[in-house]
Amino acid sequence: MLYAATKAMVTQTLGKSHFIDMMFGTMQDDFFSAGYKRHCVHAESSAPLTEQEQELEWIRNDESKVAEVLTMVLQCSHARAIYPLHEDAKRAIWEFASGCVNFVLLTIDLQKETIVVGYEGSVQLHYEMKQRAPQNVPSYALYWFDGSTHMFVCLCPSSSSVWECMVYSTFQHGFTECVHDLGIEFDIRMEVDDPEELSAEALESEVSSRLVKPVVAQPKFKHLISPNHQPRTTPS
């Protein structure tokens, strides 16, 4: 206690400008090279946070990311915004357009800011699309529902971050336009937040409701009466 109490007085007397760092130790090993490295790591690390403080820190980080995406949305709202397609992604889309495969799954590499292939192949049954879809990250899916129906699905699971979902939503229009330039016209476009919504029953229901036009009953027209028509009168 005596040494700790007089530390400030000693350093002030000798001159604080002569010292580049201050250490406190209880063992001789604390003043060796390894001990000094531990001291430096501890000094540069952030203060320990409670669980509530950690949650607030995560929220602030998410809010800053969302603000960045909103700025990007405003800048791209009148433009055809899209991350570049990786060469493998372009090849997979061409093979999908030519009918070599009937299902392509694409994801965005947020670190490299590139659209890459997540899966490419052919599925035999509709429910296999749900099995191939990722459960915790967003993705774009291209699917031949049948020989003439192209489907586009933007999947943003609820477990993924708000930032990821906003990125995929922002670039969705630009991506579909880019695919359109490669010769693909989508008949069905879907946005889902749960892979369970890609079950065979859900896909069939979506296609039937979008492509089958409802039968509209023909209106019944009344007999038109000429403006010069005089009503018949019965003799009294």
Side-chain angles (χ1 to χ4, degrees), residues 26-207:
T26 58
M27 300 175 60
Q28 187 176 5
D29 292 343
D30 293 338
F31 300 99
F32 289 141
S33 177
Y36 182 68
K37 289 180 179 179
R38 290 195 299 268
H39 164 75
C40 293
V41 171
H42 176 74
E44 295 175 358
S45 62
S46 59
L49 303 176
T50 63
E51 183 177 351
Q52 184 177 6
E53 290 173 335
Q54 288 179 350
E55 292 179 355
L56 291 175
E57 187 69 18
W58 293 335
I59 291 173
R60 282 194 291 267
N61 291 335
D62 286 342
E63 288 177 346
S64 64
K65 290 180 179 179
V66 170
E68 293 176 2
V69 174
L70 288 175
T71 303
M72 180 175 58
V73 171
L74 292 175
Q75 294 174 346
C76 302
S77 58
H78 301 292
R80 182 172 168 173
I82 183 177
Y83 281 144
L85 294 171
H86 191 274
E87 290 302 320
D88 289 342
K90 293 180 181 180
R91 176 186 52 77
I93 294 174
W94 275 112
E95 291 185 356
F96 177 83
S98 61
C100 297
V101 296
N102 66 1
F103 181 54
V104 174
L105 194 69
L106 301 142
T107 59
I108 297 177
D109 187 333
L110 297 175
Q111 298 296 328
K112 299 180 180 180
E113 297 185 346
T114 307
I115 298 178
V116 298
V117 178
Y119 174 81
E120 173 192 359
S122 295
V123 297
Q124 302 300 322
L125 301 172
H126 296 319
Y127 74 84
E128 295 181 46
M129 183 178 178
K130 180 184 70 173
Q131 296 177 342
R132 297 288 183 180
Q135 302 293 317
N136 54 2
V137 294
S139 60
Y140 295 141
L142 315 180
Y143 180 53
W144 281 84
F145 182 82
D146 52 33
S148 60
T149 305
H150 292 138
M151 296 186 70
F152 168 77
V153 179
C154 179
L155 171 62
C156 292
S158 56
S159 57
S160 56
S161 68
V162 176
W163 177 54
E164 289 177 318
C165 292
M166 292 192 68
V167 169
Y168 276 77
S169 178
T170 300
F171 291 108
Q172 175 182 336
H173 176 71
F175 173 75
T176 54
E177 289 296 314
C178 180
V179 174
H180 178 268
D181 290 345
L182 296 177
I184 301 175
E185 183 69 31
F186 292 113
D187 304 293
I188 304 292
R189 302 189 185 200
M190 298 174 59
E191 294 185 19
V192 299
D193 56 11
D194 187 351
E196 293 297 325
E197 298 180 51
L198 300 178
S199 64
E201 294 78 8
L203 294 176
E204 292 171 357
S205 175
E206 186 72 20
V207 171

